[in-house]
Amino acid sequence: MSGASATACCPPLVTAALSEGDAEIMAAMFKALADPVRLRLLSRVASHPNGEACVCDIADVGVSQPTVSHHLKKLREAGLLTSERRGTWVYYRPAPGVLASLGAFLADAEKAGEEDLSLAARNS
């Protein structure tokens, strides 16, 4: 699933059934995010000034450097991060549009759930 991107796929959850391919892409992203260390690393990159972070600035997440590198690789493979080597350091940034796409995918599901609850309350 290397280089997967939510921008090119995956309509909001409540607007259409996911195709097999779209489901595989989204599952890879959510699987990558299901690890607390990976979620913290993604958060550190996304919230870092200038929208990118050097691995040296985000590596203090309570695991060894090789483990940090492994987790960053998994986030890249899932299409959540991009990276660029500059000299001896690697800089990471969220993949273009992927965070907004994931948010939209889930936000519409939440909205539909609220509508279902509202409809159920009116009918009772």
Side-chain angles (χ1 to χ4, degrees), residues 7-116:
T7 18
C9 83
C10 312
L13 189 60
V14 298
T15 61
L18 284 176
S19 70
E20 186 175 338
D22 288 349
E24 287 181 21
I25 290 168
M26 294 303 286
M29 290 182 180
F30 287 118
K31 183 177 179 181
L33 290 174
D35 184 285
V37 172
R38 290 182 197 151
L39 194 53
R40 288 182 65 207
L41 287 168
L42 180 65
S43 173
R44 285 182 176 213
V45 171
S47 65
H48 204 271
N50 301 322
E52 69 175 9
C54 173
V55 70
C56 62
D57 295 330
I58 59 170
D60 184 25
V61 290
V63 297
S64 68
Q65 175 56 46
T67 302
V68 168
S69 294
H70 168 77
H71 286 304
L72 289 168
K73 177 183 175 188
K74 292 296 185 182
L75 290 168
R76 279 192 335 266
E77 289 174 346
L80 296 164
L81 291 178
T82 63
S83 63
E84 177 184 347
R85 180 169 294 281
R86 297 181 199 155
T88 59
W89 297 108
V90 177
Y91 288 78
Y92 294 88
R93 69 177 50 96
V98 75
L99 298 179
S101 190
L102 283 172
F105 179 78
L106 294 173
D108 284 343
E110 182 179 342
K111 182 179 176 184
E114 290 171 1
E115 291 171 0
D116 288 347

